[in-house]
Amino acid sequence: MPSFFYAIFHPLRTLNLWLDNDPNASVLEVLYLLTVFSAFGIWLVFDRYQKARNNAVPFRHNAPDAADPRWESLKIRNANLKSHLTERDLLPHHIMGSREYITCYDPANSLHIKTVIADNEREIQGKILRAKNAQASWAETTFSQRRRVMRSLLKWLVANQQECARVACRDTGKTLIDAAFGEILATCSKLEWLINHGERALRTETRYSNLMMSYKKSQVVYEPMGVVSAIVSWNYPLHNAWSPIIAAIFAGNAIVLKCSEHVVWSTDWFVGAIHKALEACGHDADIVQTVCCWPDQAEALIKSNLIKHITFIGSEEVGRKVAIAATEHLTPVCLELGGKDPAIILPDTDLQKWASVWMRGIFQNAGQNCVGLERLIVHSEQYDELYEILKERVKKLRVGSVLAPSREGYINTVDFGCMISNDRFDVLENLIFEAHEAGAQMEVGGKRYLHNTCDGNAYFGATVLGDVDPRARIAQTELFAPIALLIRYDNIEEAIAIANGTRYGLGASVFGPHQDLCLEVARELECGMVSINDFGVFYLNQDLPFGGTKASGYGRFGESIQFL
């Protein structure tokens, strides 16, 4: 240590001697000192230059008026996407001939937000062409330039997370905590991964060869595909829009996003932030296009010969139609479809310890979660205790809208929001009635919920259904609703058979006091991903591939080749 300080401070002593004209002064040591200072100055200049080129670029994208909880609007009777056909006041002042429209509304309060014109085939083709023209120059950008866009988006999202959460709540009726977990946290995690590891996943790779080819070099070079497409669901409008967009543009592609007609208003605003970020960083925002149309017009996007890859998130029924339509030009498709995710609860599990995790897994986003827990498979000896725990907790859930005015202020204390619409309520009630008639136990929920202060018509009561037959229709059908199904088992082999006994295979969970046994059971499950003593955590680790098997689709998100 003394020698270290001597090396640092000795030149200063020599400089002092040199200034005093002392004959013991050394010119070399003074040069050493000057060299150190010069090197430090050069480093400061270089560091400032790098920050100027790579730091996030600030931009403004103001929150829409409707995101304010105090915002007021016309209340729609029996609100739905086609309310403009029965209430002409919802149409824009200038009606465009025979064009089709989509009514945007708050499902929790039935407030009219906006009525938009649905894109037709000609407009969709025009958006694809604009994306193609813009992609040529974007493909030449460096990873540093693309990272700067990602940093700008991440900084904006963190700074505006409250506004983003409220926009998502207004368009879907979810709670702020659901928006924080499903929209903000997941999207920030994806942006952070791209910034830190995206280039590593896409850089040219040198592959091993054999002795005969040892004098040659074999490489895999990743190149942009061109224009890709994503057709995404409505349950997480921010995350489901941004996730495929940032993956596509980081790989050098342009993208045309077809959002669900249920979340046109919020998706348009969320994608607008990406446009602002691209423009602030000096790039053409046309590389990201948004299509807003009814399902029957989506084929113009799917069958376009300019689209080189399609990502689809949605139901199995629609996913099959997308896959068939994509065969016209042999367009590769990544499908993330339905799920019936089980949670196997092994014997002697501490039920109180994990009850909150199960409540979140079942009722997060009012059950409208692709990897939500739809079946709790519990040992017979612990069934009664678990049923009572869930029943009592569900009874205490506070239902409503976080954006409805309240006496305490403008943010309500709400545990549980509404669903996206009431379109499936008849089906859900029939499935529950059928199971109850067959002997299933039910003391809470089971039907649509009429809220006494919120005027929305999309509330469904949180439901606990026990002693469900694993072969029953309700245990085989994806519910995508706030319904907990409890299924008994007597031995672990039976639990595994029940878990694997549906047509789906997206995610799963295994809970138990012994991790080794949990891992053994997890290896026997027919699905794409399994969490041990948790729910859905594989979605937050962006280094893991995400996707399912069987009728839950094929292909994986989170793989570097997805958009290449």
Side-chain angles (χ1 to χ4, degrees):
M1 185 63 71
S3 60
F4 171 76
F5 287 112
Y6 176 82
I8 296 297
F9 294 111
H10 181 68
L12 293 173
R13 179 174 176 275
T14 304
L15 178 61
N16 188 54
L17 293 175
W18 184 68
L19 292 173
D20 292 339
N21 293 319
D22 191 299
N24 293 321
S26 170
V27 174
L28 291 177
E29 290 181 326
V30 173
L31 289 175
Y32 162 77
L33 186 65
L34 293 174
T35 302
V36 170
F37 281 126
S38 299
F40 182 67
I42 292 171
W43 178 82
L44 285 176
V45 172
F46 180 75
D47 183 63
R48 180 171 294 182
Y49 171 73
Q50 288 295 321
K51 287 180 178 178
R53 292 183 66 238
N54 299 319
N55 276 5
V57 179
F59 63 91
R60 292 184 63 83
H61 186 52
N62 296 328
D65 293 340
D68 189 332
R70 293 163 294 195
W71 175 75
E72 296 180 355
S73 181
L74 176 67
K75 288 192 176 181
I76 309 173
R77 296 187 302 273
N78 191 29
N80 61 79
L81 297 175
K82 294 188 177 182
S83 288
H84 57 273
L85 297 179
T86 55
E87 298 190 34
R88 307 298 290 180
D89 291 343
L90 303 180
L91 286 169
H93 294 303
H94 303 288
I95 301 176
M96 298 181 63
S98 59
R99 295 296 299 271
E100 290 190 274
Y101 292 84
I102 299 172
T103 299
C104 305
Y105 65 97
D106 177 352
N109 298 298
S110 293
L111 295 176
H112 177 242
I113 302 175
K114 189 178 182 180
T115 302
V116 299
I117 302 174
D119 290 329
N120 57 30
E121 183 175 343
R122 181 178 60 82
E123 289 167 335
I124 294 172
Q125 291 172 346
K127 290 181 177 183
I128 298 171
L129 189 58
R130 283 200 295 276
K132 180 180 184 299
N133 293 336
Q135 191 268 338
S137 59
W138 175 252
E140 301 300 320
T141 56
T142 64
F143 284 116
S144 294
Q145 291 173 306
R146 298 173 196 172
R147 268 195 299 271
R148 194 176 199 190
V149 175
M150 300 299 129
R151 288 194 184 101
S152 302
L153 287 170
L154 180 58
K155 184 175 182 179
W156 178 85
L157 180 56
V158 171
N160 295 273
Q161 55 186 295
Q162 181 170 270
E163 290 77 9
C164 290
R166 289 178 181 174
V167 169
C169 292
R170 179 65 76 191
D171 219 11
T172 64
K174 65 178 61 179
T175 66
L176 286 171
I177 192 66
D178 287 341
F181 273 113
E183 308 278 15
I184 311 300
L185 183 61
T187 307
C188 285
S189 180
K190 291 178 185 293
L191 284 165
E192 188 177 42
W193 188 91
L194 285 171
I195 292 167
N196 295 330
H197 307 292
E199 182 177 357
R200 171 180 56 81
L202 297 173
R203 69 165 62 112
T204 298
E205 298 177 14
T206 298
R207 296 293 177 91
Y208 295 108
S209 186
N210 53 34
L211 180 61
M212 183 181 298
M213 302 294 291
S214 60
Y215 65 98
K216 292 185 178 292
K217 190 175 185 179
S218 301
Q219 289 188 321
V220 175
V221 179
Y222 296 101
E223 296 181 348
M225 296 186 74
V227 182
V228 299
S229 174
I231 303 171
V232 296
S233 58
W234 41 259
N235 52 340
Y236 293 101
L238 167 60
H239 171 265
N240 288 355
W242 276 35
S243 179
I245 289 174
I246 60 178
I249 65 177
F250 192 86
N253 297 304
I255 180 169
V256 182
L257 179 87
K258 193 277 179 191
C259 66
S260 167
E261 53 273 20
H262 285 282
V263 290
V264 170
W265 171 75
S266 57
T267 302
D268 184 63
W269 186 76
F270 289 135
V271 175
I274 296 179
H275 288 159
K276 292 287 182 67
L278 287 165
E279 291 169 354
C281 293
H283 304 295
D284 190 345
D286 276 351
I287 60 170
V288 178
Q289 298 287 329
T290 307
V291 167
C292 152
C293 67
W294 291 100
D296 57 355
Q297 294 295 323
E299 279 201 353
L301 178 63
I302 301 166
K303 291 187 174 183
S304 172
N305 64 338
L306 299 179
I307 297 297
K308 303 304 179 184
H309 183 280
I310 299 172
T311 296
F312 176 82
I313 303 173
S315 68
E316 178 191 352
E317 178 187 2
V318 179
R320 289 180 181 276
K321 294 178 181 178
V322 170
I324 292 170
T327 60
E328 182 160 324
H329 296 290
L330 297 179
T331 307
V333 181
C334 178
L335 297 176
E336 197 254 275
L337 308 178
K340 194 70 180 173
D341 287 15
I344 295 180
I345 303 170
L346 297 177
D348 301 321
T349 297
D350 187 341
L351 301 183
Q352 291 290 355
K353 178 179 180 180
W354 302 113
S356 294
V357 175
W358 298 327
M359 287 291 291
R360 179 167 57 88
I362 297 164
F363 298 109
Q364 179 176 314
N365 207 32
Q368 300 165 122
N369 194 4
C370 57
V371 290
L373 300 180
E374 294 224 357
R375 296 175 293 158
L376 295 182
I377 304 171
V378 58
H379 193 271
S380 295
E381 292 182 358
Q382 291 187 295
Y383 165 81
D384 291 333
E385 182 184 356
L386 180 59
Y387 180 85
E388 287 300 318
I389 290 172
L390 293 180
K391 182 186 72 173
E392 293 305 314
R393 285 189 172 225
V394 167
K395 283 181 179 179
K396 297 175 183 177
L397 289 176
R398 294 163 293 189
V399 182
S401 167
V402 293
L403 298 183
S406 68
R407 291 174 296 178
E408 296 79 11
Y410 55 79
I411 295 296
N412 281 302
T413 303
V414 173
D415 302 312
F416 186 75
C418 72
M419 296 180 67
I420 194 68
S421 75
N422 60 7
D423 292 347
R424 296 173 48 247
F425 282 10
D426 288 342
V427 172
L428 293 175
E429 288 177 344
N430 287 336
L431 287 171
I432 292 170
F433 176 79
E434 182 182 290
H436 194 208
E437 286 290 295
Q441 185 179 8
M442 186 181 68
E443 298 173 60
V444 57
K447 59 184 179 181
R448 63 195 73 199
Y449 178 82
L450 299 177
H451 204 283
N452 56 1
T453 59
C454 298
D455 293 324
N457 58 6
Y459 291 97
F460 196 90
T463 304
V464 179
L465 201 61
D467 261 338
V468 175
D469 185 337
R471 297 162 298 180
R473 276 206 311 150
I474 198 168
Q476 296 291 321
T477 304
E478 182 185 32
L479 301 178
F480 223 60
I483 302 172
L485 301 183
L486 276 68
I487 302 174
R488 295 178 188 255
Y489 73 90
D490 293 318
N491 57 69
I492 294 177
E493 290 73 20
E494 182 186 1
I496 294 171
I498 292 171
N500 292 335
T502 72
R503 58 188 287 103
Y504 299 106
L506 189 53
S509 296
V510 181
F511 291 84
H514 307 293
Q515 188 172 18
D516 290 343
L517 180 58
C518 290
L519 288 170
E520 286 182 26
V521 172
R523 292 188 183 98
E524 299 297 321
L525 299 182
E526 299 169 357
C527 60
M529 308 147 297
V530 185
S531 292
I532 304 297
N533 285 330
D534 214 325
F535 143 72
V537 289
F538 39 71
Y539 202 70
L540 287 178
N541 186 343
Q542 304 307 314
D543 228 30
L544 295 175
F546 181 92
T549 60
K550 301 194 288 188
S552 291
Y554 52 77
R556 293 292 183 270
F557 301 159
E559 291 185 329
S560 59
I561 61 172
Q562 180 187 350
F563 289 110
L564 300 177

